[in-house]
Amino acid sequence: MADVRAQLVSRVRGLLSEALGATRSRLAAADADLTAGRDRLARVRRAAAAVPERVGAARDGRLAEIDARHAARIAELTRRAAAAAGREAPGAASAGWDGWRPTPAGRAETPGAVRIGTVRVPGGEPVPALVPLLDAGHAQLAGGDRDGLAAVVPALLLRSVGRAEPGGVRLFGYDPEHLGGGLAGFAPLGTAGLLTFVGPGGLGRLLDDLVEQIRRINETVLAGEYPSLRALAAATGRRPEPWRVAVLLGGDELSRHERGQLDRVVRTGAACGVHLVVRGVALPDDPTVTRIVVEPDDARIAGLPVVLDPPPPAALVTETCREVASRVNAGPPPAPFTDLLPAEYWQEDSAHGLTAPIGEGRHGRPVLLSLGDYPPHALIGGPSGTGKTNLIFAWIGALAARYSPAELEFYLLDFKEGVSFARFAQGRRDPSWLPHMRLVGINVNTDREFGLALLRFLAEELRRRADAAKKHEVTKLAELRAVDPTGHWPRIVAVVDEFQALLAGRDVVAREAADLLEDLARRGRSQGIHLVLASQDVRGIEALWGRPALVAQFTLRIALPKALRILAERNDAAQSLPRHHAVVNAESGLVEGNEVARIPSASDWETWSELQHRLWRMRPQDAAPARLFDGDAVPRLTEAPDYRALTAPEQGVPRTPVALLGEIIDVQARSAALRLPRAPGRNLAVLGTRIDEACAVLDAAARSLAGQHRPGTARFSIACLDPDADPAARALYEDLADNAAWYDEETVPELMAEVGDGLGAPGAPSSPHYLLLYAVDAAAGQLAGKAGRRTGLEQLRRILHDGPERRTHVLAWWRGVGRMRADLGGAGARLDQIGAWVALDVQGAELSGALYPGTGGPDWYPRPWRGLYFDRAVHRTGQVIIPYGPSR
């Protein structure tokens, strides 16, 4: 029992121990859990305490980021706004007054808005405060700050004037309170007609005039094609009308009529370039009206606060207006030459006429010049310096770009001194030429014969075309071209500048030239030959008045500034023309035919060369350069086409030797040729004291003859009896080499005896013999003595008389007509043995008698490096020639 009790006690004790141990374990775990819980609680409390600080920091960081982005956005927007304002009002329209200067807009660019202040944006750069004005709207000024309002008006006007082309803005001032004092700084514009002051009581007339201008622009300029002048300028690159800005500074209450006109200007003016800047006059509500309110310490544009700019310095306003006025008074610059050129070249057909623009008209539309059946011919006039040469260049360029060389040919003659027209032909500086140009004559003021030669050439071409028209039974060029498409029938335009020189005097040249001009003017229209006569002197026009039938054909009249007698008697439109303009009139100068054209600059080297080079590259493969005749240039024998064509026969002698003496003053650049057949009188006398010219004639004759003979088949005997002529004669002798023999004063009698006696020998000489006698009259003393059985002079006369039939020809220079007569037998001697002569500095009266048919001698007035050539076997009258220059 006791054991059981003991076991039970032991067991109980064990269980109690186990329970105590388990309890202690659970207590320890509970303590551990408690400690962990307390730790977690502490951590949670610490974390909870840190949350507000972190959240606050994140919030503050986010707010700072938002502020930075906002500031950057404001800065970007203000920068963009400032850039947009700069584009809308560039240059002078928004520049500050320090260093301000006018910056005119381009032809198609609209000045638009102008700045009067700035808009201050916190955190951003100042943005220009703009007022839409030119081609945009009107400005209404109001408020109690009179000084601030007075600063806005000159800023608006000066920036508008400075942004437009000089003369592009016209101001109209109405200031009844201060009688124009509010616009005093702009007064210099009045000298150029750009500022008009309207006195008290004149507001109604001013508004009426503005309304009339709007009506005219809508009807005649816009004409339903464009909604506004701004759209027209953008589409065409031209602005045909100035901006008109009426500045109304106060006044009495408007009448009903004035209020109605003012409302019309507000509604319709902006599209037509008519604008209002108004202070003290109420404008109606309209989208085009910008309201500017200026109070002390506060200014607003359409409700937006702005900081006004200071007024422009008074000296800057006055200086700018003076500069603009001076440029306007000097005349507008010429229009671009490219305005006259088509998009595609050589696309027009000239069968029915020629049409091309010459410049820009008053409303921006091109002014066209036409030549055809009507008007057939043109007359151009204008004093020196008014642009006559430039106009001719512009017209030729516009035509040449439209019509190919197969459709149009030019012949150009300039009687004034200068080489402006030489660029149409091939030159040393520029190898190109205008493919349409067939003839260019320059410096021909002393060579009226060349003008006559051109008219003869045109008359012959007219006859050729008329014959072709008769053959094909048609009457006009267009009909001829239709029935003969393979023929070459371009229209011909002959331009004669300073044409009055051709008609000057009462001599044969003037009479024949006038007759040819009248015939060409009357009949040329039907065959496509058109005359353009130009003159800078009123005498050029007066030269035509004696021939009313001739003047009547020139129905197209072009008058440059201050031109007289070009237009009809009561038509004085040319007297008020600005520079670079012309009155174009296709109604014989009557007032109703007037059109004013702004002529582009076409004659400067770079402008013209660009067009000419392009046309030259387009030229046909068989195109040849134009014939250039320069009255101041001396031609060369080696460059003469007739000399280059000379050839020596393979055997024997040439059929008929030809001596070339000089260049004929004609269109084809032919040589004056003296044929030397075996016939009486085929000798040449050169008459005059000009040594260089006389030597040149003999030199050319000898060299051209030598080129027709094989070496050794002709003999040249050269006798020089004037020391001053010795260099030229020696050069010829050396070049002829073995074919020539040299003689001087001592040996020339031997030459006369040898040749004279040889002519009496039986048979004929087997080879030609040419005697070139330089200053033969200087040997009169030596030839007066015996040379065999006869004197030297007798032998010379015998050679002249009998030599040509035996292939012996004398080409001799006498230094005077009287000396030649004395050598050949005296005053009463017959001179039949001198079949041809070239007179240099010899008066026409000295050539009368046996040398020239008729009485009184030829109409010949000596001039340097010119000669009068007469061959009694060929000529009815003398022929003016230019001796060829020295060969060395």
Side-chain angles (χ1 to χ4, degrees):
M1 192 71 169
D3 292 335
V4 171
R5 185 179 297 130
Q7 293 177 351
L8 182 60
V9 169
S10 178
R11 187 176 179 184
V12 169
R13 288 179 175 173
L15 292 171
L16 289 173
S17 294
E18 292 178 0
L20 180 60
T23 300
R24 288 176 176 171
S25 297
R26 288 195 293 273
L27 179 59
D31 289 340
D33 292 340
L34 177 61
T35 300
R38 287 174 177 172
D39 289 342
R40 286 195 299 274
L41 178 60
R43 288 196 300 272
V44 170
R45 286 176 176 174
R46 287 196 300 273
V51 166
E53 182 179 355
R54 187 170 63 251
V55 170
R59 179 198 60 203
D60 293 343
R62 182 61 176 165
L63 289 176
E65 180 183 354
I66 292 173
D67 288 342
R69 291 175 59 187
H70 178 69
R73 182 63 174 167
I74 290 177
E76 174 65 15
L77 290 176
T78 56
R79 185 189 65 78
R80 291 184 181 181
R87 291 190 298 271
E88 180 66 19
S94 61
W97 301 127
D98 291 338
W100 185 92
R101 59 185 180 85
T103 56
R107 290 167 58 85
E109 184 181 356
T110 297
V114 293
R115 163 182 160 175
I116 64 168
T118 56
V119 177
R120 302 291 185 180
V121 179
E125 63 179 279
V127 177
L130 305 181
V131 175
L133 189 61
L134 302 184
D135 277 346
H138 316 280
Q140 163 81 68
L141 284 73
D145 187 351
R146 298 185 65 85
D147 293 339
L149 291 171
V152 172
V153 173
L156 283 172
L157 300 182
L158 184 61
R159 285 189 167 121
S160 297
V161 169
R163 188 63 187 131
E165 289 287 340
V169 174
R170 296 183 183 177
L171 303 180
F172 301 86
Y174 176 68
D175 185 9
E177 295 181 5
H178 298 90
L179 300 178
L183 299 176
F186 294 87
L189 294 176
T191 61
L194 302 178
L195 173 61
T196 303
F197 284 109
V198 179
L203 179 60
R205 292 191 300 274
L206 171 60
L207 294 175
D208 290 344
D209 181 67
L210 295 178
V211 170
E212 176 60 23
Q213 294 294 342
I214 294 171
R215 183 202 61 77
R216 179 187 60 80
I217 292 171
N218 278 321
E219 290 184 6
T220 63
V221 180
L222 301 179
E225 297 183 34
Y226 302 96
S228 66
L229 288 176
R230 182 170 190 166
L232 184 152
T236 64
R238 302 182 181 90
R239 184 175 182 89
E241 292 285 334
W243 288 278
R244 295 172 172 85
V245 180
V247 185
L248 312 182
L249 304 179
D252 298 330
E253 185 71 22
L254 300 184
S255 67
R256 182 175 180 180
H257 174 75
E258 292 170 343
R259 172 56 61 185
Q261 296 292 66
L262 185 68
D263 291 352
R264 292 184 181 92
V265 173
V266 169
R267 290 194 309 270
T268 61
C272 298
V274 177
H275 307 281
L276 300 171
V277 175
V278 176
R279 188 188 72 197
V281 178
L283 295 182
D285 290 334
D286 193 90
T288 61
V289 176
T290 299
R291 303 192 183 277
I292 305 170
V293 179
V294 182
E295 300 289 356
D297 300 325
D298 182 36
R300 295 175 180 272
I301 298 178
L304 181 67
V306 300
V307 176
L308 294 177
D309 289 336
L316 178 62
V317 175
T318 303
E319 180 182 350
T320 301
C321 292
R322 285 175 179 166
E323 179 182 352
V324 170
S326 65
R327 293 184 61 182
V328 171
N329 287 329
F337 180 49
T338 53
D339 288 357
L340 301 187
L341 304 181
E344 297 184 21
Y345 288 7
W346 294 1
Q347 299 299 310
E348 302 294 331
D349 186 337
S350 67
H352 295 279
L354 301 166
T355 300
I358 193 59
E360 178 184 285
R362 290 189 183 277
H363 306 313
R365 293 179 172 83
V367 175
L368 300 179
L369 292 182
S370 296
L371 291 174
D373 288 346
Y374 188 89
H377 312 291
L379 201 57
I380 302 173
S384 177
T386 55
K388 177 165 55 65
T389 298
N390 180 73
L391 185 143
I392 292 173
F393 267 88
W395 195 2
I396 288 176
L399 287 170
R402 284 167 171 76
Y403 300 94
S404 71
E407 299 288 333
L408 170 64
E409 290 181 351
F410 288 110
Y411 293 80
L412 182 58
L413 200 59
D414 187 3
F415 274 100
K416 69 177 182 298
E417 295 183 8
V419 295
S420 299
F421 297 133
R423 70 186 67 178
F424 295 123
Q426 190 176 35
R428 295 179 181 178
R429 177 181 176 184
D430 186 352
S432 72
W433 69 86
L434 188 65
H436 309 69
M437 196 64 65
R438 306 312 317 140
L439 173 71
V440 179
I442 59 175
N443 293 318
V444 293
N445 48 308
T446 59
D447 288 311
R448 296 162 61 232
E449 295 85 359
F450 189 77
L452 185 59
L454 172 60
L455 296 181
R456 288 171 177 169
F457 172 84
L458 295 176
E460 178 60 25
E461 176 64 17
L462 177 60
R463 185 199 60 77
R464 186 180 75 89
R465 295 186 175 207
D467 289 346
K470 292 178 182 178
K471 175 182 176 182
H472 292 282
E473 298 181 345
V474 295
T475 58
K476 296 183 179 180
L477 180 69
E479 299 169 348
L480 177 60
R481 291 178 57 164
V483 299
D484 184 21
T486 60
H488 182 64
W489 308 113
R491 286 194 179 266
I492 291 175
V493 176
V495 183
V496 183
D497 196 7
E498 300 305 327
F499 70 94
Q500 73 275 4
L502 185 59
L503 303 177
R506 299 178 179 274
D507 55 8
V508 174
V509 173
R511 290 192 295 272
E512 184 178 355
D515 291 338
L516 288 172
L517 271 176
E518 186 168 344
D519 184 58
L520 286 168
R522 187 180 69 256
R523 299 194 298 129
R525 70 169 74 199
S526 61
Q527 302 304 332
I529 298 178
H530 308 283
L531 301 175
V532 177
L533 304 184
S535 175
Q536 68 180 15
D537 195 322
V538 67
R539 289 174 298 178
I541 312 306
E542 290 173 344
L544 299 177
W545 292 151
R547 293 178 173 263
L550 174 59
V551 178
Q553 302 299 324
F554 289 82
T555 53
L556 177 57
R557 311 285 178 85
I558 304 172
L560 293 158
K562 303 299 186 292
L564 299 174
R565 306 292 296 275
I566 290 288
L567 304 176
E569 183 176 355
R570 297 184 179 180
N571 189 351
D572 59 355
Q575 303 309 306
S576 59
L577 277 180
R579 292 180 60 200
H580 313 301
H581 286 68
V583 176
V584 176
N585 189 302
E587 301 296 335
S588 299
L590 298 178
V591 174
E592 52 268 27
N594 285 351
E595 284 188 275
V596 176
R598 182 185 178 199
I599 310 301
S601 176
S603 59
D604 64 273
W605 184 270
E606 292 185 1
T607 299
W608 179 260
S609 293
E610 183 177 351
L611 172 64
Q612 179 162 304
H613 275 262
R614 180 174 177 180
L615 298 178
W616 180 63
R617 290 191 294 268
M618 297 169 60
R619 70 189 185 279
Q621 293 183 351
D622 59 348
R627 148 93 157 121
L628 175 62
F629 176 85
D630 185 350
D632 287 349
V634 177
R636 299 286 179 177
L637 177 66
T638 54
E639 299 173 358
D642 289 338
Y643 177 76
R644 293 180 177 180
L646 295 177
T647 58
E650 296 182 1
Q651 59 183 1
V653 296
R655 290 186 296 273
T656 299
V658 176
L660 305 183
L661 308 179
E663 183 179 282
I664 299 173
I665 299 181
D666 72 350
V667 174
Q668 292 88 0
R670 296 173 299 165
S671 297
L674 170 63
R675 299 179 73 253
L676 297 176
R678 297 178 61 181
R682 303 318 295 163
N683 302 297
L684 173 71
V686 181
L687 306 171
T689 62
R690 292 190 183 128
I691 297 173
D692 292 341
E693 298 170 27
C695 291
V697 174
L698 294 181
D699 185 271
R703 293 178 186 276
S704 57
L705 288 169
Q708 301 168 67
H709 299 279
R710 291 183 294 109
T713 62
R715 179 184 173 191
F716 293 85
S717 295
I718 302 174
C720 183
L721 309 172
D722 186 337
D724 292 331
D726 189 81
R730 283 281 182 187
L732 175 63
Y733 167 69
E734 292 172 1
D735 289 345
L736 294 181
D738 297 336
N739 296 327
W742 180 263
Y743 299 87
D744 56 21
E745 290 185 5
E746 296 181 358
T747 57
V748 70
E750 300 176 7
L751 171 64
M752 296 295 106
E754 174 195 347
V755 176
D757 292 342
L759 295 176
S766 59
S767 61
H769 186 189
Y770 304 104
L771 280 70
L772 294 126
L773 309 179
Y774 289 76
V776 63
D777 57 284
Q782 287 81 355
L783 296 178
K786 291 291 184 180
R789 291 173 297 175
R790 293 183 174 88
T791 65
L793 288 177
E794 290 174 340
Q795 293 285 22
L796 174 60
R797 295 165 192 160
R798 182 181 183 186
I799 295 169
L800 290 168
H801 189 272
D802 299 333
E805 297 180 70
R806 295 173 177 263
R807 297 197 182 99
T808 300
H809 306 275
V810 175
L811 294 87
W813 163 35
W814 277 274
R815 292 174 297 182
V817 177
R819 292 193 174 201
M820 182 187 71
R821 291 182 187 273
D823 289 348
L824 300 185
R830 293 182 58 85
L831 301 179
D832 295 345
Q833 65 270 39
I834 303 298
W837 47 260
V838 175
L840 300 173
D841 55 339
V842 175
Q843 295 295 329
E846 297 181 59
L847 300 168
S848 61
L851 286 174
Y852 196 80
T855 59
D859 287 330
W860 167 242
Y861 306 96
R863 50 193 189 270
W865 215 258
R866 296 292 185 272
L868 184 67
Y869 170 48
F870 180 76
D871 184 343
R872 66 176 71 248
V874 176
H875 297 143
R876 294 176 55 193
T877 60
Q879 187 176 57
V880 179
I881 66 171
I882 307 174
Y884 288 115
S887 299
R888 290 190 177 184

